[in-house]
């Protein structure tokens, strides 16, 4: 013991004697690049734009009304200045990621190529650089990146945007000679494993290579493990037997890494010149000591203790930034996850920025990482090779992260079977998928026997079993969307039970479950596909409860932590998949609070409706309007105050306390409290619509979305669109007709999922009333602007299809299905409105008319059909004076 203490005390002194002659230099070269798209013959091809990395060229075009985005080549160039005294160094360019095929040229000479958009790569450039006797010399770097669709490179298709560009950091890495293997700054090139760990001891093995080693007897390795306080806890010197180095160390009573206590040591590997004692090269890696296992019966165990893995998937893009995110925004997502109470992330569908797993290590989030083989494969050796290369690169680059416990591959790979059902080709295709899965799986096990492998499958249980795919990995992941893409919520637990009964030996993770929510849509009667915040909350409440109730479910990851771009999607927020627990700008939705209430160990209380601070409704007899307010909490009781008065105290059920709140016109101050000091408050602006419109001298505006049971809030315009209702005397509403329903799929309670061109308020246009004869509002006398909104939802020509749109069609040509006149207070204001003029498929058309309402006549809108049925998507009545 004394000897050990003495050694520990002396260690800094021993180290202090080492001099750091020519250890590696790692510096980013992100700023001041020039860029252009390489479109032959276009103006873009010659004019250089000044950009900094991370950069993508698709930030704008993924969000416009045009289908598709630029998938082609982009050229980057930059002058780098290399010091004269680097002449004898080994110099690499290290790319953290560029999508998806990258070629690098130095001073006009080809330097290297990398295939795949999501793993890092090093390009050796020493031989191509120019040196002069000046202090520095200019060298030209040119990088050609191509994100064209390529049948040999996964992903072939997926529900996310394949942004092109050098969208992660680029570094110059210079080492002396000889040097430790270089793969990147502070990672890979060196693998640390912990083959034996328990509470008493840990065996730590560091494997690396010494490159360009001429005389092995002249050098040695010193490997040192340093604790969090900077104390050296183990140090070992080792002679070199050759290029390969394997250093074995042991720690007694190691401080274990866990989700609650993510303790990290550092491993410092130094290459020392025996004679001069100089440190020739040095690498530092973090080390988390833990052991884990998955059991098919009882789930996941970390350091011998059961841990239910609950978290989310994460896509890497951000609103208006594409996938080119600075470090701070990468890390912010892991903090978001941690603050949610989560302990798990599925990094899907591709490896992400190094800072993601670094943050997981630091914050104690368990991770699964996977390569981007999604939906389908290409049956070619090139494709197979690229899959295997990606898996190898992914494992190599992320090997040292204690947070990683799973290497995954092939998301929902049987989704696009390419060939006809029952055909031989299809059978062969499935066979090839299974063969490839086996190759990837055995590569993973050979590269890293300590981690588990996983395939995330979609909800077709029989298909994945019958092909034999579920037999290949150690863990089966299921993406289960019961209550969203299929059936009712209860299908979820049936699916889980089915797995357990049929695959009793396979650990199970719910790799995806989720429901879309557009933060502008709300409902007092939420249903599947309505995309309301309330349905998303109900969906997650249900699934989370079922996940928690089953010990055999090792873990689950919500789809998705964040809303993300998927250019091909339509729906109410075109190009955005809104299954996030936050928006693409990371504003939390209610479901995020639901997870906090369920998972956080510290007392938690949060008012829902954070995106519903502008409300509207119809006054009841006492002048108030009753609407639901929910509070998320892990405390037993919640009291709610409205405008300073106690409304009610209720018991929270399943971590939610529900209140009916009588809102009054204007500002409503709401406060929720657990009675023990936890409080949350919000001010809701309520726009009251009088029940007796005719006598409402304060009447201001009425916005109604026809065919729609939801509220739609437009924060920017400060407008709330009310659900439709039939006309009643003294009030307002439609006359006749029915709610538009999709005849083909008939699975939506209302509306269409087409992206509507020419508007940002797609939801308003996606529902409509058809065959109505009129709309009436008994407003007081005055001058009004009446705006009618239309979009043709039924045009028949279906030119473009996307499986990711619930209603999978976008019509290209117009076929005449209807024509009608519109009159307001007896005056024809739209004559022969038809598909041959303004009513174009999935295109917003609106028109405002100024109307004088006098002698108590109010506003009456009549629809007079000539062909087919009249339609109305929305109406706005605004009092001017
Ligand atoms: C899935 C896919 C994921 C999609 C998601 C969805 O099953 O794995 O890539 O984004 O469903 O939202 O449809």
């Amino acid at each position: 013991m004394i000897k050990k203490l003495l050694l520990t005390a002396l260690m800094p002194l021993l180290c202090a004697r080492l001099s750091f002659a020519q250890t590696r230099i790692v510096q980013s070269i992100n700023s001041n690049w020039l860029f252009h798209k390489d479109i032959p013959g276009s103006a873009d091809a010659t004019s250089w734009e000044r950009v900094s990395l991370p950069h993508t060229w698709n930030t704008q075009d993924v969000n416009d009304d045009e289908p598709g985005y630029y998938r082609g080549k982009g050229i980057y160039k930059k002058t780098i200045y290399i010091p004269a005294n680097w002449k004898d160094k080994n110099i690499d360019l290290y790319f953290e990621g560029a999508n998806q095929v990258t070629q690098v040229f130095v001073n006009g000479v080809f330097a290297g190529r990398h295939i795949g958009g999501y793993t890092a790569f090093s390009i050796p450039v020493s031989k191509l650089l120019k040196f002069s006797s000046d202090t520095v010399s200019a060298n030209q770097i040119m990088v050609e990146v191509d994100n064209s669709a390529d049948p040999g490179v996964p992903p072939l298709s997926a529900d996310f945007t394949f942004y092109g560009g050098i969208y992660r950091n680029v570094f110059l890495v210079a080492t002396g000679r000889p040097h430790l293997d270089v793969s990147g700054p502070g990672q890979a090139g060196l693998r640390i494993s912990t083959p034996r760990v328990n509470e008493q001891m840990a065996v730590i093995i560091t494997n690396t290579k010494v490159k360009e080693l001429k005389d092995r007897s002249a050098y040695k390795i010193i490997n040192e493990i340093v604790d969090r306080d900077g104390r050296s806890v183990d140090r070992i010197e080792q002679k070199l037997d050759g290029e390969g180095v394997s250093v074995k160390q042991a720690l007694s009573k190691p401080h274990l890494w866990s989700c609650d206590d993510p303790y990290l040591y550092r491993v410092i590997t130094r290459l020392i010149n025996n004679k001069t004692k100089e440190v020739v090269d040095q690498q530092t890696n973090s080390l988390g000591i833990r052991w884990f296992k998955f059991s098919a019966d009882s789930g996941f165990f970390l350091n011998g203790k059961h841990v239910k893995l609950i978290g989310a998937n994460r896509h890497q893009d951000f609103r208006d930034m594409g996938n080119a995110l600075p470090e701070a925004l990468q890390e912010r997502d892991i903090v978001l996850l941690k603050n949610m109470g989560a302990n798990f992330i599925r990094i899907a569908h591709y490896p992400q920025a190094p800072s993601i797993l670094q943050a997981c290590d630091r914050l104690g989030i368990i991770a699964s990482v996977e390569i981007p083989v999604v939906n389908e494969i290409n049956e070619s050796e090139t494709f197979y090779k690229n899959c295997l290369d990606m898996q190898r690169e992914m494992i190599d680059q992320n090997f040292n992260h204690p947070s990683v416990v799973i290497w995954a591959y092939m998301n929902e790979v049987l989704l696009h079977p390419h060939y006809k059902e029952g055909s031989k080709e299809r059978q062969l295709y499935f066979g090839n998928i299974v063969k490839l899965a086996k190759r990837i799986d055995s590569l993973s096990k050979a590269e890293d026997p300590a981690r588990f492998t996983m395939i995330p499958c979609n909800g077709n249980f029989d298909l994945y079993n019958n092909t034999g795919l579920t037999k290949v990995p150690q863990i089966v992941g299921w993406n289960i969307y019961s209550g969203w893409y299929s059936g009712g919520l209860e299908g979820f637990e049936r699916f889980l039970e089915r797995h357990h009964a049929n695959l009793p030996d396979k650990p199970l993770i719910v790799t995806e479950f989720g429901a879309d929510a557009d933060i502008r849509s709300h409902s007092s009667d939420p249903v599947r596909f309505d995309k309301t915040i309330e349905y998303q909350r109900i969906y997650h409440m249900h699934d989370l409860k079922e996940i928690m109730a089953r010990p055999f479910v090792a873990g689950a990851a919500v789809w998705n932590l964040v809303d993300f771009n998927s250019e091909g999607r339509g729906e109410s927020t075109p190009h955005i998949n809104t299954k996030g627990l936050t928006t693409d700008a990371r504003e939390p939705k209610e479901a995020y609070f639901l997870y906090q209430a369920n998972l956080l160990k510290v007392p938690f209380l949060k008012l829902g409706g954070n995106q519903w601070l502008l409300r509207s409704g119809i006054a009841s007899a006492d002048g108030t309007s009753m609407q639901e307010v929910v509070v998320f909490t892990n405390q037993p009781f919640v009291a709610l105050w409205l405008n300073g008065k106690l409304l009610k105290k209720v018991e929270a059920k399943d971590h939610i306390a529900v209140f009916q709140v009588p809102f009054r016109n204007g500002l409503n101050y709401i406060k929720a409290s657990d009675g023990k000091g936890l409080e949350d408050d919000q001010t809701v602006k309520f726009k009251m619509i009088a029940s007796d419109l005719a006598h409402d001298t304060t009447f201001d505006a009425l916005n109604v979305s026809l065919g729609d049971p939801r509220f739609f809030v437009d924060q920017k315009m400060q407008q709330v669109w009310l659900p439709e209702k039939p006309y009643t005397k003294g009030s307002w509403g439609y006359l006749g007709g029915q709610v538009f329903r999709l005849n083909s799929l008939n699975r939506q309670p209302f509306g269409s999922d087409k992206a509507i061109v020419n508007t940002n308020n797609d939801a308003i246009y996606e529902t409509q009333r058809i065959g109505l004869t009129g709309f009436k509002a008994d407003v007081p006398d005055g001058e009004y602007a009446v705006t009618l909104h239309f979009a043709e939802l039924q045009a028949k020509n279906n030119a473009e299809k996307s499986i990711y749109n619930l209603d999978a069609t976008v019509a290209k040509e117009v076929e005449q299905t209807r024509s009608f006149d519109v009159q307001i207070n007896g005056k024809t204001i739209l004559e022969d409105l038809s598909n041959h003029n303004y009513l174009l498929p999935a295109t917003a058309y609106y028109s405002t008319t100024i109307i004088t309402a006098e002698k108590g006549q109010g506003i009456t809108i009549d629809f007079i059909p000539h062909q087919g049925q009249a339609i109305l998507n929305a109406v706005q009545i605004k009092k001017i004076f």
Side-chain angles (χ1 to χ4, degrees):
M1 183 68 184
I2 290 182
K3 203 169 142 200
K4 177 136 199 192
L5 277 177
L6 204 66
L7 204 67
T8 311
L10 281 177
M11 216 66 92
L13 290 178
L14 291 174
C15 299
R17 269 205 272 124
L18 298 169
S19 64
F20 294 77
Q22 27 173 337
T23 51
R24 65 180 59 193
I25 295 167
V26 179
Q27 56 184 223
S28 75
I29 48 165
N30 285 344
S31 63
N32 279 322
W33 287 73
L34 292 173
F35 164 77
H36 71 72
K37 281 186 200 155
D38 191 24
I39 315 170
S42 96
D44 278 356
T46 46
S47 55
W48 293 94
E49 184 191 336
R50 193 170 290 277
V51 301
S52 285
L53 309 182
H55 171 261
T56 172
W57 57 69
N58 293 118
T59 322
Q60 306 297 332
D61 61 352
V62 293
N63 289 321
D64 58 23
D65 275 341
E66 297 298 313
Y69 55 104
Y70 179 68
R71 295 191 67 184
K73 281 186 189 155
I75 314 282
Y76 294 82
K77 68 175 184 184
K78 178 179 173 65
T79 306
I80 54 169
Y81 296 91
I82 304 290
N85 64 7
W86 283 21
K87 199 165 181 357
D88 298 324
K89 287 189 185 294
N90 174 75
I91 303 169
D92 287 5
L93 282 176
Y94 177 79
F95 291 76
E96 282 184 350
N99 198 25
Q100 70 177 351
V101 175
T102 309
Q103 303 208 77
V104 180
F105 301 82
V106 176
N107 296 322
V109 181
F110 175 75
R113 185 164 187 258
H114 180 259
I115 296 173
Y118 305 94
T119 42
F121 53 97
S122 276
I123 307 280
V125 296
S126 319
K127 290 192 182 118
L128 305 175
L129 291 171
K130 284 192 255 164
F131 295 91
S132 69
S133 48
D134 291 345
T135 50
V136 292
S137 43
N139 284 269
Q140 308 304 328
I141 310 275
M142 195 181 87
V143 184
E144 182 190 288
V145 186
D146 192 343
N147 71 335
S148 307
D150 181 337
V153 185
L156 302 175
S157 65
D159 181 20
F160 61 93
T161 301
F162 306 150
Y163 292 96
I166 312 180
Y167 73 98
R168 291 188 192 150
N169 302 314
V170 180
F171 294 89
L172 254 182
V173 182
T175 58
R177 298 173 199 271
H179 59 89
L180 297 169
D181 201 2
V182 185
S183 267
Q187 46 157 351
L190 186 151
R191 288 187 180 188
I192 302 171
S193 51
T194 49
R196 273 185 60 205
V197 181
N198 56 44
E199 269 153 13
Q200 299 312 315
M201 62 90 68
V203 172
I204 296 123
I205 296 182
T206 306
N207 283 315
T208 187
K209 284 185 187 131
V210 179
K211 296 284 187 173
E212 303 185 70
L213 180 66
K214 289 203 185 101
D215 175 9
R216 64 178 197 222
S217 64
Y219 297 92
K220 68 180 172 198
I221 289 282
I222 297 184
N223 220 44
E224 190 176 7
I225 302 175
V226 175
D227 71 11
R228 196 159 59 186
D229 302 320
R231 280 189 303 255
S232 179
V233 291
D234 196 71
R235 183 177 191 270
I236 199 163
E237 289 195 16
Q238 191 156 309
K239 285 186 187 149
L240 296 175
D241 297 330
E243 192 185 64
V245 179
S246 185
V247 180
K248 188 171 174 184
Q249 288 169 280
L251 287 187
S252 67
K253 292 220 167 15
H255 193 142
L256 297 176
W257 183 95
S258 67
C259 298
D260 294 333
D261 180 15
Y263 189 93
L264 293 176
Y265 293 88
R266 280 183 304 137
V267 177
I268 307 171
T269 308
R270 296 189 177 103
L271 178 65
I272 310 281
N273 182 319
N274 286 331
K275 219 195 249 162
T276 63
K277 301 273 185 290
E278 279 176 345
V279 179
V280 179
D281 195 10
Q282 173 173 324
Q283 272 234 57
T284 307
N285 283 273
S286 66
L287 164 70
I289 299 175
R290 83 285 182 261
W291 78 99
F292 61 88
K293 69 164 192 185
F294 283 94
S295 138
D297 274 330
S298 41
F300 180 70
F301 291 81
L302 183 65
N303 303 329
K305 294 188 194 105
H306 179 253
V307 176
K308 189 88 170 185
L309 297 175
I310 303 289
N313 290 268
R314 187 240 182 198
H315 263 301
Q316 64 181 3
D317 55 306
F318 196 99
R319 185 180 299 170
D320 297 331
M321 299 179 83
N323 58 354
L325 266 56
E327 299 298 300
L329 287 186
Q330 309 275 9
E331 286 176 27
R332 181 178 165 187
D333 284 351
I334 304 303
V335 173
L336 199 63
L337 203 58
K338 186 75 184 177
N339 290 347
M340 184 176 116
N343 57 14
F344 182 51
I345 184 170
R346 173 176 169 232
I347 299 183
H349 294 306
Y350 41 79
Q352 300 184 7
S355 47
I356 289 293
L357 281 175
Q358 285 162 4
C360 289
D361 291 348
R362 281 198 308 273
L363 296 173
I365 301 282
I366 304 279
S368 164
V369 195
E370 70 196 47
I371 54 164
V373 181
V374 184
N375 293 354
E376 57 190 317
I377 66 158
N378 177 279
E379 294 162 278
S380 68
E381 263 313 314
T382 313
F383 185 88
Y384 301 157
K385 178 179 179 309
N386 285 332
C387 293
L388 293 164
D389 284 352
M390 283 178 189
Q391 188 81 358
R392 192 180 296 109
E393 286 176 4
M394 170 180 80
I395 295 174
D396 192 44
Q397 289 162 17
N398 300 300
F399 194 90
N400 296 338
H401 292 287
S403 51
V404 177
V405 299
I406 298 168
W407 303 121
Y409 54 94
M410 288 188 169
N411 178 72
E412 304 191 349
V413 71
L414 304 181
L415 196 66
H416 292 328
H418 290 194
Y419 305 99
K420 272 207 201 104
E421 196 167 349
S423 67
K424 259 201 191 138
E425 288 88 345
R426 184 183 274 204
Q427 236 183 328
L428 210 66
Y429 174 75
F430 284 162
N432 284 334
I433 290 181
V434 175
K435 267 192 220 155
L436 177 59
K438 285 183 179 160
R439 285 172 77 182
I440 301 176
D441 209 82
S442 35
L443 177 145
S444 311
K445 294 311 295 171
E447 288 284 323
D448 185 358
R451 263 101 174 192
F452 284 67
T453 58
M454 177 171 81
I455 295 185
C457 311
N458 56 294
N460 192 338
F461 192 84
D462 289 335
L463 182 62
Y464 283 85
N465 274 321
N466 297 342
T467 51
L469 204 59
T470 50
K471 289 205 184 72
V472 183
Q474 290 168 294
I475 302 169
V476 172
W478 289 111
N479 300 344
I480 313 173
Y481 286 93
S482 308
W484 190 252
Y485 289 122
S486 62
L489 292 171
E490 68 297 337
F492 183 75
E493 51 270 28
R494 275 207 305 271
F495 198 103
L496 298 177
E497 292 298 339
R498 199 167 167 207
H499 170 103
H500 198 45
N502 290 281
L503 296 167
D505 300 329
K506 280 283 170 198
L508 156 67
I509 288 182
V510 181
T511 32
E512 290 179 28
F513 61 111
D516 283 271
D518 176 346
I519 57 164
R520 302 167 300 178
S521 290
H522 297 278
S523 176
S524 53
D525 186 17
V527 287
R528 179 159 84 109
F529 290 151
D530 68 6
K531 307 225 172 83
T532 60
I533 285 293
E534 293 72 26
Y535 186 74
Q536 189 190 43
R537 179 227 300 161
I538 289 167
Y539 177 102
H540 282 286
M541 258 178 92
H542 173 91
D543 283 11
L544 182 59
K545 207 168 160 188
E546 300 301 333
I547 290 161
M548 290 310 218
R550 289 173 175 75
F552 67 84
V553 178
V558 172
W559 189 261
N560 195 285
L561 177 65
V562 293
D563 288 356
F564 59 92
N565 199 286
S566 176
E567 207 274 349
R569 270 188 182 257
E571 308 175 53
S572 63
T573 49
H575 319 299
I576 307 288
N577 182 318
T578 52
K579 293 192 189 70
L581 297 178
T582 77
T583 66
D584 52 354
R586 279 43 174 183
E587 309 144 66
K589 302 180 189 174
E590 274 191 2
Y592 180 84
F593 303 141
L594 174 81
Y595 282 93
Q596 288 188 302
N598 275 273
L599 303 175
L600 285 176
K601 289 168 193 156
V602 292
F604 175 81
L605 177 142
K606 182 86 191 158
L607 269 161
N610 56 314
Q611 272 121 358
W612 205 6
L613 298 178
L614 177 67
R615 295 191 185 217
S616 182
I618 301 167
S620 54
D622 67 356
T624 65
S625 183
M626 201 67 102
Q627 287 185 9
E628 190 177 278
V629 168
V630 296
V631 180
F632 300 92
T633 189
N634 50 16
Q635 301 304 299
F637 292 97
V638 180
L640 200 82
W641 278 263
L642 177 65
N643 300 320
K645 278 203 200 117
L646 179 67
L647 188 70
K648 215 174 177 184
K649 182 175 171 188
V650 305
E651 196 175 347
K653 265 178 85 189
D654 295 330
H655 298 99
I656 294 190
V658 182
F659 298 89
Q660 294 304 321
V661 176
F663 286 98
R664 67 180 188 204
N665 193 37
L667 298 182
N668 294 261
Y669 178 69
I670 301 177
K671 191 178 85 177
S673 157
D674 72 338
K676 289 182 263 165
L678 267 184
E679 282 183 7
D680 190 24
D681 62 358
Q682 61 184 213
T683 301
V684 176
K685 187 168 163 189
F686 202 94
K687 295 194 168 192
M688 193 67 72
I689 304 293
S691 52
D692 177 8
L693 276 192
H695 298 102
D696 180 15
T697 49
T698 64
F699 178 82
D700 166 30
L702 176 70
N703 310 302
V704 182
S705 177
L706 275 299
D708 199 346
R710 304 165 299 180
F711 294 87
F712 182 83
V713 183
D714 184 339
Q715 274 291 348
K716 197 162 152 193
M717 306 276 232
Q718 286 286 291
Q719 286 171 347
V720 180
W721 299 72
L722 296 178
E724 68 165 15
K725 71 178 187 71
Y727 170 74
T728 50
K729 201 161 167 37
S731 179
W732 53 271
Y734 60 79
L735 297 162
Q738 73 246 22
V739 171
F740 164 77
R741 279 177 204 283
L742 274 177
N743 35 19
S744 55
L745 290 171
N746 205 19
R747 54 183 185 174
Q748 282 142 304
F750 54 86
S752 146
D753 264 300
K754 290 180 174 121
I756 309 294
V757 177
N758 223 5
T759 181
N760 288 328
N761 287 351
D762 295 57
I764 296 302
Y765 292 94
E766 284 172 339
T767 63
Q768 66 183 192
R769 206 157 180 85
I770 50 175
L772 76 173
T773 57
F775 186 95
K776 213 166 148 42
D778 294 338
V779 291
D781 286 358
E783 208 62 10
Y784 287 91
V786 178
T787 309
L788 303 175
H789 299 259
F790 304 92
E792 180 55 77
L793 303 176
Q794 293 193 69
K796 289 190 186 116
N797 305 8
N798 304 325
E800 204 174 290
K801 285 184 191 267
S802 161
I803 54 148
Y804 295 114
N805 294 329
L806 303 178
D807 162 15
T809 57
V810 178
K812 281 274 168 80
E813 282 167 36
V814 189
E815 200 175 295
Q816 176 78 287
T817 54
R818 69 179 91 253
S819 126
F820 55 94
D821 292 349
V822 181
Q823 293 180 349
I824 303 187
N825 289 355
K827 195 160 87 187
T828 302
I829 53 126
L830 291 171
E831 197 165 332
D832 188 24
L833 182 61
S834 87
N835 305 115
H836 284 165
N837 46 58
Y838 295 120
L839 288 185
L840 301 179
T843 304
Y845 166 67
Y846 55 90
S847 176
T848 302
T849 307
I850 308 300
I851 293 290
T852 308
E854 48 194 356
K855 298 184 193 144
Q857 70 182 144
I859 290 174
T860 302
I861 309 167
D862 291 311
F863 298 86
I864 301 135
H866 304 305
Q867 184 190 346
Q869 292 178 305
I871 54 168
L872 180 64
N873 296 59
V875 57
Q876 287 178 288
I877 298 174
K878 166 87 190 143
K879 189 167 184 199
I880 307 172
F881 52 85

